[in-house]
Amino acid sequence: MPKLFRRIFLSNRPSGSRVADLETRWDPYVTLRKLQKYQITKTDACHYGFLGTVLLFVFFVNPAPWLAKLAVYLLFAVLFVVPVTSQFFFNALPIFTWLALYFTSSSFSAEQRPPITVQVLPAIETILYGDDLSDILAASLNKPLDFVAWIPYGLFHFGAPFVVAIILFLCGPPTILRGYAFAFGYMNLLGVISQNLFPAAPPWYKLIYGLSPANYSMKGSPGGLGRIDEYLGINLYTDGFSNSAVIFGALPSLHSGCATMEALFFSYVFPKLMPLFIFYVCWLWWSTMYLTHHYFVDLMAGSVLSYVFFQYTKCFHLPLPEPSVYSRWSYGELRKFSVWQTDPLSASASDIENIIVPAVENSEMELNFLDNSETPSIFDHDRSVSRSSATSNISLEAQDDLVSSSRTNKQRID
Amino acid sequence: MVHLPKSFLGFFPLYLGVEIALGITILNKCSGVYGILGLITGHNLDFMQWLLYITSILQLVMYSKVLKHIYNPQVLLFSLALVVYCLDTLLTCFFTLWFSGQWFSAKNREFDNPNSQTHQSANPGSSSKLRLRGDSLTSQSASQSTEFFFTILLTLLALASRFYFNSILLAFVQGLIRHPKYSLDIDDVEQDLKNQNWLIRNWKKAQYISYKWCRHYLA
């Protein structure tokens, strides 16, 4: 096994490269010394201020015994200070904050909670998408479809974040896991905050109670997953969803958000497999509606939240993956995306690339073939030659020259 | 002349706004696929739904193609995208009005029905004294006016964001047209499209026409 691991992941390791190295020290003073030298930025102040506020809120509101809460917080403090554990646990702080808030949500009293809306989501779904899509897709039920829907919603969803994290850690550029933890944690955290601030009934509620008023004494429902419990002779989903921490948390769908986030990160590292990841998200969307857990508008809200956080993380945190490199140990250096230098509108007019040249017959009428720097887009599979240069009427040799000359003027800060 | 934004959210470059706008639009246009998928369950679609879902699927394909080129934009392709996006914005407004009308008229019919479960019992106007929220089960549910308020608010927010994204795309294409790097002299171009198939020929033609419009109104 170690031989296989070495052959797959370590065979192309550049000599002297340390970017993929992990922290192996246990001495807490290493972290404390780093902390002494650390100078906080505005962004970090907002980041830690926000997460700290949520954690403080959870500390006071969570009904667990004070001693138990203190013990948990101290345990995490130790994990954050010890370098070997800190590199994983501290970077996952947004995820822990989300989980802390989620499991505290069930303890909020009805007096503190906003009123539950029952009609808003089906109304928005009809107004924006022309019909009650979730209702239509759940109209025709059968056993094989139940299992097809169960696989992404009831199985993959719970294991996928861990699988994605492990694969990103092994196959993505070093530090990508931090970005994933950041985006994934924040997406879920804002999702749970939104679910608490805007409680809305899911489609299963409409099927059971119609559009009649809801209240917080009502139990949750497993929706279509109840049928899976029946088939398998278990009570897993019925128990779980009946006592969910956020029963009226239809908006946004965190199932959709998680699947989209996983698909976006995987597409970032493995762009050639993007159709497969898109298929997974579409499959999960369908199963979510088929199992009557979310309206289409909830799915969109979750996916949009993921997309926005992914874009932010891509621009400001993620390292650029190198094409055809699928091992963290194969990276010799880390490069990051430069938001400002990648701007297609930012190129100076005095640049030789920006001289106006009349378009010629049969050309694609585009003169931007010179612009061929690598991009972090999950859509640009072929980073070697741009479409424009490949289809222009300039000879291939000339194109090669142009491409290589443009590479010397690449738009990123390495 | 309408003033277009110079940056996305007052801080980020326009291309980031376009990337986010197109990404969000693509996600939303997936509704067309699920709307058509509803046919399998035996659901019938009316003309307006067919129109909405078919145009959504076509735009899904179009915007996906455009998004691929966000870092290496082609002025012709983005001009076409802008024209389609503007038409889509108008169409979205129309569909929003149409389906809002359908939803609210259906609600009215439900209210006229005395057996309907939809009536919200917690009507704040009917209560003579203020009550603490949550002190009774009925007060834990949103009143009918709250339901309407949030429905209208979310619909308006969706439309407002749509208009904002449209203005970002307008500003981006204006930037492309005005930038020397992307300048084109379309009058000098001899278009040899006769040997191309029907789809490509019309695709290119649509790009040229869109570019002319954009240059006329934005340059």
Side-chain angles (χ1 to χ4, degrees):
Chain A
M1 190 67 183
K3 269 188 184 174
L4 186 70
F5 182 85
R6 265 200 293 274
R7 204 178 66 211
I8 295 172
F9 291 107
L10 303 176
S11 55
N12 293 321
R13 184 174 193 170
S15 58
S17 169
R18 297 179 61 84
V19 290
D21 286 355
L22 290 174
E23 183 63 74
T24 52
R25 288 173 292 185
W26 291 84
D27 185 3
Y29 287 105
V30 175
T31 309
L32 295 175
R33 274 196 295 274
K34 274 186 194 170
L35 198 62
Q36 270 182 336
K37 289 178 192 167
Y38 172 70
Q39 287 189 331
I40 195 159
T41 60
K42 269 186 192 170
T43 321
D44 280 356
C46 293
H47 170 61
Y48 295 121
F50 175 64
L51 296 184
T53 308
V54 175
L55 287 171
L56 202 66
F57 171 76
V58 167
F59 185 74
F60 286 112
V61 171
N62 193 292
W66 288 100
L67 211 59
K69 287 191 280 190
L70 206 62
V72 170
Y73 275 60
L74 277 175
L75 174 69
F76 272 95
V78 172
L79 290 171
F80 291 166
V81 170
V82 176
V84 71
T85 52
S86 170
Q87 63 191 327
F88 295 108
F89 282 86
F90 191 64
N91 290 317
L93 189 60
I95 294 179
F96 292 126
T97 312
W98 152 53
L99 291 173
L101 183 66
Y102 176 76
F103 288 111
T104 305
S105 297
S106 60
S107 63
F108 300 155
S109 69
E111 289 80 17
Q112 293 166 329
R113 290 173 185 267
I116 306 157
T117 60
V118 173
Q119 301 169 27
V120 173
L121 297 182
I124 294 288
E125 188 174 57
T126 304
I127 291 169
L128 296 185
Y129 304 111
D131 213 334
D132 202 346
L133 295 178
S134 52
D135 203 32
I136 296 164
L137 294 174
S140 177
L141 307 174
N142 64 55
K143 195 170 179 177
L145 277 184
D146 287 345
F147 280 103
V148 173
W150 169 58
I151 291 168
Y153 196 86
L155 282 181
F156 288 0
H157 168 75
F158 299 101
F162 299 101
V163 174
V164 170
I166 292 167
I167 294 174
L168 286 179
F169 176 76
L170 292 173
C171 303
T175 74
I176 193 170
L177 193 58
R178 288 180 208 171
Y180 178 64
F182 176 87
F184 189 82
Y186 262 102
M187 182 274 296
N188 279 293
L189 179 58
L190 285 204
V192 169
I193 290 173
S194 161
Q195 288 174 346
N196 278 300
L197 291 180
F198 186 75
W204 55 255
Y205 179 90
K206 200 172 128 193
L207 287 178
I208 300 171
Y209 305 103
L211 293 177
S212 57
N215 64 69
Y216 286 110
S217 68
M218 289 171 161
K219 286 274 182 190
S221 163
L225 285 176
R227 296 195 295 275
I228 298 294
D229 273 350
E230 282 173 28
Y231 299 146
L232 302 179
I234 55 174
N235 218 24
L236 179 71
Y237 297 108
T238 308
D239 270 352
F241 283 98
S242 298
N243 304 302
S244 168
V246 192
I247 289 168
F248 295 104
L251 187 80
S253 161
L254 296 182
H255 270 77
S256 169
C258 291
T260 307
M261 189 65 83
E262 287 147 12
L264 287 167
F265 268 89
F266 262 1
S267 301
Y268 185 70
V269 177
F270 311 106
K272 285 176 183 162
L273 296 177
M274 193 165 65
L276 182 70
F277 309 135
I278 292 173
F279 170 77
Y280 172 66
V281 175
C282 293
W283 182 16
L284 183 123
W285 281 349
W286 167 79
S287 64
T288 307
M289 291 186 279
Y290 176 82
L291 296 170
T292 66
H293 278 249
H294 285 286
Y295 293 100
F296 190 76
V297 66
D298 312 336
L299 304 178
M300 287 302 103
S303 289
V304 166
L305 203 58
S306 273
Y307 183 65
V308 170
F309 272 108
F310 173 78
Q311 287 294 332
Y312 175 82
T313 311
K314 183 186 80 179
C315 291
F316 297 104
H317 294 288
L318 290 189
L320 285 171
E322 286 182 19
S324 308
V325 174
Y326 299 118
S327 163
R328 65 179 274 121
W329 290 279
S330 300
Y331 283 82
E333 59 171 356
L334 285 187
R335 295 182 304 141
K336 287 206 172 175
F337 180 56
S338 169
V339 172
W340 309 105
Q341 293 192 23
T342 310
D343 186 357
L345 300 178
S346 73
S348 161
S350 61
D351 246 359
I352 192 156
E353 290 184 0
N354 301 332
I355 296 170
I356 302 171
V357 180
V360 290
E361 196 176 356
N362 281 341
S363 80
E364 284 268 322
M365 299 201 306
E366 56 183 66
L367 305 172
N368 53 334
F369 52 77
L370 292 164
D371 182 10
N372 197 39
S373 67
E374 288 181 34
T375 66
S377 170
I378 59 173
F379 305 105
D380 290 342
H381 297 184
D382 185 1
R383 296 189 176 108
S384 56
V385 180
S386 75
R387 180 181 162 277
S388 54
S389 59
T391 52
S392 75
N393 64 340
I394 298 174
S395 71
L396 282 174
E397 290 80 3
Q399 284 180 26
D400 285 343
D401 289 342
L402 290 166
V403 167
S404 55
S405 67
S406 74
R407 289 213 156 181
T408 57
N409 294 327
K410 62 185 173 190
Q411 296 178 324
R412 297 237 174 68
I413 296 174
D414 290 348
Chain B
M1 178 69 189
V2 180
H3 291 284
L4 295 172
K6 299 236 179 323
S7 58
F8 175 55
L9 298 176
F11 179 70
F12 299 107
L14 287 169
Y15 80 97
L16 270 186
V18 174
E19 197 177 6
I20 287 179
L22 289 177
I24 292 175
T25 311
I26 287 168
L27 287 171
N28 277 284
K29 294 298 173 192
C30 291
S31 60
V33 178
Y34 290 94
I36 300 286
L37 201 64
L39 290 171
I40 295 171
T41 66
H43 182 72
N44 291 321
L45 303 178
D46 62 28
F47 173 74
M48 295 305 281
Q49 287 171 328
W50 271 111
L51 188 65
L52 173 65
Y53 297 145
I54 296 290
T55 53
S56 292
I57 292 170
L58 292 175
Q59 284 165 36
L60 173 68
V61 176
M62 158 104 198
Y63 296 143
S64 304
K65 188 172 170 58
V66 174
L67 188 57
K68 280 184 183 177
H69 297 279
I70 188 67
Y71 297 106
N72 296 304
Q74 302 160 20
V75 69
L76 289 172
L77 183 62
F78 273 79
S79 300
L80 177 60
L82 174 64
V83 171
V84 172
Y85 202 90
C86 290
L87 292 174
D88 183 30
T89 302
L90 295 176
L91 210 57
T92 302
C93 292
F94 169 72
F95 280 130
T96 304
L97 280 175
W98 179 268
F99 291 116
S100 299
Q102 285 206 328
W103 171 263
F104 285 110
S105 60
K107 291 299 297 176
N108 270 342
R109 281 197 298 275
E110 268 187 63
F111 284 128
D112 293 341
N113 178 5
N115 298 322
S116 169
Q117 279 189 302
T118 313
H119 294 287
Q120 301 291 293
S121 52
N123 183 0
S126 65
S127 177
S128 57
K129 60 174 185 176
L130 288 173
R131 291 193 306 185
L132 187 68
R133 190 174 64 217
D135 68 342
S136 71
L137 292 182
T138 48
S139 66
Q140 290 171 13
S141 188
S143 63
Q144 192 57 59
S145 54
T146 310
E147 298 270 12
F148 280 152
F149 171 75
F150 278 113
T151 303
I152 293 165
L153 180 73
L154 290 180
T155 307
L156 289 178
L157 279 178
L159 281 181
S161 61
R162 173 86 204 184
F163 278 110
Y164 180 67
F165 285 144
N166 207 150
S167 71
I168 291 290
L169 195 57
L170 271 164
F172 182 72
V173 173
Q174 186 183 53
L176 286 180
I177 289 170
R178 286 180 177 174
H179 202 290
K181 184 178 174 182
Y182 305 102
S183 292
L184 294 175
D185 195 350
I186 201 161
D187 297 332
D188 291 346
V189 177
E190 289 288 329
Q191 297 168 26
D192 184 15
L193 299 171
K194 286 173 191 167
N195 297 326
Q196 307 276 15
N197 72 38
W198 180 87
L199 196 67
I200 295 176
R201 202 165 59 236
N202 284 290
W203 174 255
K204 297 274 181 196
K205 269 187 187 171
Q207 289 189 8
Y208 301 148
I209 294 166
S210 304
Y211 176 70
K212 278 183 179 174
W213 283 355
C214 292
R215 198 174 59 168
H216 180 73
Y217 291 109
L218 294 173

